[in-house]
Amino acid sequence: DQQVKQNSPSLSVQEGRISILNCDYTNSMFDYFLWYKKYPAEGPTFLISISSIKDKNEDGRFTVFLNKSAKHLSLHIVPSQPGDSAVYFCAASGVQAGSYQLTFGKGTKLSVIP
Amino acid sequence: NAGVTQTPKFQVLKTGQSMTLQCAQDMNHNSMYWYRQDPGMGLRLIYYSASEGTTDKGEVPNGYNVSRLNKREFSLRLESAAPSQTSVYFCASIWTASNQPQHFGDGTRLSIL
């Protein structure tokens, strides 16, 4: 049973426009959420995170929104740039089996078209 | 500034062969993790080590063993490789198991024929 879901496998956006990537989770025990960016043949790199006590966190062009009641978070990239083309993983953190663990979604491949 | 280093980067094995994937971090982190990523899937946790001297199973531990050799190094061993273990393996580390981002290596791409 998937606890973190990214229902859009891919997304194409024009350069300069907004990219919105969505993520849903089912486990109410998750209390910290992260977005990772991954280029081919590289490891995931941390992009931005949000604690469950907040509803928004902003870092430059990247903003993450959290709606706890809906168990939904989204990543907004404004403006989108060709270098943003990558796979984006949503991850949720919480204590499982006595230790903090990350649970990942399947990823969304973002293509920013020049 | 190496961060998390994984070796080898690529490996091809035959079914039944054994293999150890190496991971080392130079950030003085206490906790280390092994994940696998399959096409169309997210990263799934195989094993983790919350601190030196401890290891625990993750979501998909079957067919694997791990060793936390010291604070820096955490290895993953396939005793008898199977085609279902064809995957990309990522090692990650964090100062201490908590709600903080993990740092990932660049992965080992493993193919089992």
Side-chain angles (χ1 to χ4, degrees):
Chain A
D1 184 31
Q2 264 191 285
Q3 297 189 70
V4 177
K5 299 177 184 178
Q6 293 178 257
N7 291 321
S8 298
S10 63
L11 176 68
S12 289
V13 172
Q14 287 289 133
E15 180 179 3
R17 306 295 292 267
I18 185 171
S19 295
I20 300 176
L21 291 83
N22 294 303
C23 178
D24 297 293
Y25 63 96
T26 58
N27 190 337
S28 299
M29 299 303 292
F30 290 142
D31 56 4
Y32 184 71
F33 303 90
L34 310 89
W35 286 93
Y36 280 85
K37 178 179 181 179
K38 185 183 180 305
Y39 292 119
E42 295 184 9
T45 56
F46 169 69
L47 187 59
I48 192 169
S49 63
I50 187 166
S51 166
S52 60
I53 63 173
K54 295 187 175 182
D55 55 16
K56 176 183 174 181
N57 188 27
E58 195 170 354
D59 184 1
R61 297 185 297 113
F62 302 92
T63 302
V64 56
F65 296 91
L66 175 63
N67 182 333
K68 280 190 67 177
S69 61
K71 294 189 176 68
H72 177 82
L73 63 154
S74 60
L75 174 68
H76 292 210
I77 306 173
V78 184
S80 300
Q81 299 174 354
D84 296 329
S85 296
V87 177
Y88 289 78
F89 289 101
C90 171
S93 177
V95 176
Q96 298 184 62
S99 182
Y100 283 96
Q101 295 182 25
L102 287 181
T103 302
F104 286 84
K106 293 184 177 182
T108 297
K109 183 177 182 179
L110 174 66
S111 299
V112 180
I113 304 162
Chain B
N1 207 13
V4 178
T5 302
Q6 293 184 235
T7 55
K9 294 189 183 305
F10 304 94
Q11 185 70 49
V12 178
L13 293 177
K14 294 182 179 178
T15 298
Q17 288 185 315
S18 62
M19 169 81 188
T20 299
L21 280 61
Q22 306 288 352
C23 175
Q25 51 88 12
D26 62 2
M27 296 174 284
N28 202 34
H29 286 170
N30 290 297
S31 302
M32 298 184 72
Y33 304 80
W34 276 105
Y35 295 88
R36 61 178 287 174
Q37 187 197 4
D38 300 302
M41 300 288 289
L43 283 75
R44 292 183 292 169
L45 182 63
I46 305 171
Y47 269 94
Y48 65 96
S49 171
S51 61
E52 187 178 357
T54 69
T55 60
D56 286 286
K57 295 178 180 179
E59 180 186 356
V60 289
N62 291 345
Y64 305 96
N65 286 301
V66 290
S67 295
R68 184 73 183 269
L69 304 170
N70 47 56
K71 190 172 185 179
R72 289 187 63 247
E73 299 173 288
F74 188 37
S75 63
L76 178 71
R77 184 162 178 83
L78 287 69
E79 290 291 352
S80 179
S84 61
Q85 295 177 304
T86 293
S87 189
V88 182
Y89 292 85
F90 290 102
C91 177
S93 70
I94 191 172
W95 166 244
T96 188
S98 63
N99 280 341
Q100 294 295 322
Q102 295 178 10
H103 300 259
F104 284 82
D106 282 339
T108 294
R109 185 175 297 274
L110 185 61
S111 294
I112 299 160
L113 307 176

